[in-house]
């Protein structure tokens, strides 16, 4: 354990703790913040914790946790106020600079890979989607020779994307064609012009990678705890307050419960349907955790710690990353 004696903040450093859901990032962030020899403030990097009233389903840190250290970008927006990765990056970069001005060190904590990449590397929003162009491309793709023709077209107009993006990733390949045809330039060239919002920052990034069997147990416990803590009631309240579309409807947990509430089961059927929804949330969360690990393993500069919160090895490993070279 590092001595918590106060020392000056080490320049424009940004600490980051990333990894899959249920690995205990929020709890471990507080432990690490208490152990480091300089003041630390926590900046959330979560696509749903940024919204108010999405507390149980998003695993928002509790009031008690927030009282221990300053937390930022929690409950910052109304649930019907969409937040893109670009908007998050602007908010988070401004928050990081405020933390630096207070001579503290920001600790970015979360598992939203696209938001993290937008904050560290910047993001290319590109031209708005063109429904007519997308419909034409989709119609071409459905033809017998369509996929092969589009492969050749993409290889000619954006060979970098053609090499980098898997052939089965239809969405990203069509988007690359859309951008190239609409902007007159390949998306790979346009993406290269993006600027990091915090160009002067020194990033120290730790990634949690618990053993798979442990992570699955933690996911099951977390999901069951969410339902026991009132997830259904939280979703009911949100659906009544925001009857239209709101981004949180798409989040794991919320969408499954909303699906049950949209049906018209009899009173005796509802508990069984909610138990089924709970198991679906467990399965969906496991799959999401796997995608998170795949995403962050592709990020440069992540130092992996093979443990979860609660294991002394996790605290020691993250401390080593955050303290940097001796």
């Amino acid at each position: 354990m590092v001595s918590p004696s106060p020392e000056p903040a080490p320049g424009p450093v940004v600490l980051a703790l990333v990894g899959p859901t249920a690995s205990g990032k929020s709890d471990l962030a507080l432990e690490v913040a208490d152990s480091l020899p300089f003041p630390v403030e926590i900046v959330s990097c979560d696509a749903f914790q940024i919204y108010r009233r999405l507390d149980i389903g998003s695993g928002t840190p509790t009031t008690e946790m927030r009282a221990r250290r300053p937390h930022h970008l929690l409950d910052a927006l109304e649930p019907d106020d969409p937040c893109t990765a670009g908007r998050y990056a602007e908010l988070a970069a401004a928050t990081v600079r405020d933390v630096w001005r207070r001579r503290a060190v920001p600790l970015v904590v979360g598992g939203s890979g696209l938001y993290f990449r937008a904050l560290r590397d910047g993001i290319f929003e590109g031209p708005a989607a063109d429904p007519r162009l997308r419909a034409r491309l989709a119609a071409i793709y459905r033809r017998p020779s369509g996929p092969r023709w589009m492969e050749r077209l993409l290889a000619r107009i954006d060979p970098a994307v053609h090499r980098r993006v898997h052939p089965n990733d239809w969405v990203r390949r069509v988007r690359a064609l859309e951008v190239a045809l609409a902007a007159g330039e390949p998306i790979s060239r346009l993406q290269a012009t993006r600027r990091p919002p915090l160009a002067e920052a020194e990033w120290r990034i730790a990634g949690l990678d618990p053993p798979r069997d442990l992570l699955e147990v933690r996911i099951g416990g977390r999901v069951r705890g969410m339902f026991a803590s009132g997830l259904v009631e939280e979703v009911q309240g949100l659906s009544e307050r925001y009857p239209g579309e709101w981004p949180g409807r798409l989040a794991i947990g919320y969408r499954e419960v909303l699906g049950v509430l949209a049906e018209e089961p009899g009173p005796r059927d509802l508990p069984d349907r909610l138990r089924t929804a709970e198991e679906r949330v467990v399965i969906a969360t496991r799959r999401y955790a796997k995608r998170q690990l795949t995403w962050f393993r592709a990020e440069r500069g992540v130092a992996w710690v093979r443990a979860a919160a609660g294991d002394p090895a996790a605290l020691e490993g993250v401390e080593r990353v955050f303290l940097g070279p001796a």
Side-chain angles (χ1 to χ4, degrees), residues 218-287:
R218 292 178 64 99
I219 287 172
R222 175 172 176 171
V223 170
R224 290 178 177 86
M226 285 161 43
F227 276 82
S229 299
L231 176 63
V232 176
E233 291 75 14
E234 180 174 275
V235 175
Q236 286 175 320
L238 285 163
S239 62
E240 292 169 2
R241 187 167 186 144
Y242 304 98
E245 294 297 320
W246 41 283
R249 293 176 64 92
L250 304 176
I252 296 172
Y254 293 96
R255 67 189 183 211
E256 288 82 2
V257 173
L258 283 166
V260 171
L261 297 177
E263 300 170 355
E264 295 185 1
R268 295 180 182 177
D269 296 334
L270 185 59
D272 290 337
R273 291 173 185 263
L274 287 173
R275 278 193 291 271
T276 300
E278 184 176 302
E279 292 307 313
R280 288 175 179 165
V281 174
V282 170
I283 293 169
T285 305
R286 287 174 179 169
R287 291 172 177 165

